[in-house]
């Protein structure tokens, strides 16, 4: 009877040891179920729970290379609360955008750069663009009529010729009659009259043209 009890104890010990080894090798998991909480998981969960979010915003995402005296301000917040002191800013390319002593963006040349804000060991990065603004824009399309189901490429002439088109947005006065995409291609949907407008968000100016859609 004593030997039998000893054998049972040895078998139980071996089973328990194998289960313990299995849990160690699988970091306390059986399948997707966690039977043991590891220090690594606790640390990860704690880190994710308390990590604050830093946000960087610009007054305008575009700067003008034609007016280098005009600056763009920046603001930083952490979890929605504004931070006014202790923030360090850095430009990824100072040949495109520099940061002055007042922590404002200053245009140098056309292009793109990433601005990084650093505060209390946390970083936030956002892209800014330096462009040549549009001075004038004119529709040069001579065709004012489109057939239903057909396309018309709106031809927009801008000055200066190297001006950026990134700030332009096309809209239709009635998308049930005609639609227009971001490249200025108008598609006839149904018979009627429609106005196509191109708006420049940087200069706050627009131009429009009236079109007739026929069967």
């Amino acid at each position: 009877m004593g030997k039998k009890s000893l054998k049972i104890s040895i078998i139980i010990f071996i089973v328990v040891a194998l289960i313990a080894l299995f849990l160690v090798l699988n970091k306390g998991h059986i399948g997707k179920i966690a039977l043991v909480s590891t220090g690594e998981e606790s640390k990860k969960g704690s880190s994710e729970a308390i990590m604050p979010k830093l946000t960087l915003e610009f007054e305008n995402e575009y700067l003008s290379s034609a007016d280098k005296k005009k600056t763009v301000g920046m603001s930083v917040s952490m979890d929605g609360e504004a931070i006014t002191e202790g923030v360090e800013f850095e430009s990824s390319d100072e040949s495109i955008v520099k940061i002055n002593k007042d922590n404002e963006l200053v245009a140098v040349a056309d292009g793109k750069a990433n601005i990084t804000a650093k505060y209390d060991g946390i970083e936030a990065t956002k892209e800014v663009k330096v462009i040549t603004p549009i001075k004038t824009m004119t529709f040069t399309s001579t065709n004012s009529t489109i057939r239903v189901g057909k396309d018309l490429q709106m031809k927009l002439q801008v000055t200066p010729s190297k001006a950026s088109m990134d700030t332009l947005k096309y809209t239709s006065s009635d998308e049930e009659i005609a639609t227009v995409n971001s490249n200025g291609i108008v598609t006839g949907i149904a018979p009627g009259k429609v106005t196509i407008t191109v708006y420049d968000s940087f200069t706050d100016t627009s131009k429009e043209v009236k079109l007739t859609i026929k069967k």
Side-chain angles (χ1 to χ4, degrees), residues 14 126 133 149 185:
I14 293 172
K126 190 171 184 179
I185 299 176

Side-chain angles (χ1 to χ4, degrees), residues 6-68:
L6 180 61
K7 288 182 180 180
I8 293 173
S9 298
I10 293 173
I11 292 171
I12 292 174
F13 175 79
I14 293 172
V15 170
V16 171
L18 289 173
I19 292 173
L21 178 61
F22 179 84
L23 289 173
V24 170
L25 294 175
N26 290 275
K27 297 183 177 181
H29 290 72
I30 293 180
K32 295 183 179 180
I33 302 173
L35 298 182
V36 179
S37 176
T38 64
E40 181 181 350
E41 289 171 340
S42 299
K43 184 179 179 181
K44 181 180 178 182
S46 175
S47 176
E48 290 177 349
I50 64 173
M51 181 64 71
K53 181 181 180 181
L54 196 69
T55 303
L56 172 64
E57 297 292 343
F58 305 141
E59 290 179 350
N60 195 323
E61 64 175 313
Y62 296 98
L63 285 85
S64 169
S65 59
D67 186 5
K68 297 178 181 178

Side-chain angles (χ1 to χ4, degrees), residues 86-104:
V87 182
E88 295 180 2
F89 295 96
E90 183 179 279
S91 171
S92 64
D93 192 340
E94 293 193 343
S95 67
I96 302 295
V97 180
K98 287 186 177 181
I99 301 169
N100 64 17
K101 60 182 179 62
D102 297 318
N103 288 331
E104 298 170 325

Side-chain angles (χ1 to χ4, degrees), residues 115-181:
I115 305 301
T116 300
K118 300 178 181 180
Y119 178 78
D120 197 24
I122 306 173
E123 297 184 3
T125 300
K126 190 171 184 179
E127 184 181 78
V128 65
K129 301 174 184 177
V130 179
I131 63 170
T132 297
I134 295 172
K135 287 187 177 180
T136 65
M137 53 185 178
T138 307
F139 281 118
T140 60
S141 300
T142 56
N143 191 352
S144 61
T145 302
I146 310 175
R147 296 287 181 182
V148 172
K150 299 296 183 179
D151 295 336
L152 174 65
Q153 172 67 67
M154 302 303 298
K155 295 179 181 178
L156 186 69
Q157 183 176 4
V158 302
T159 61
S161 58
K162 66 174 184 177
S164 172
M165 301 289 196
D166 291 349
T167 57
L168 297 181
K169 182 180 180 180
Y170 288 89
T171 57
S172 168
S173 62
D174 191 338
E175 293 193 343
E176 292 185 358
I177 295 175
T179 60
V180 59
N181 67 14

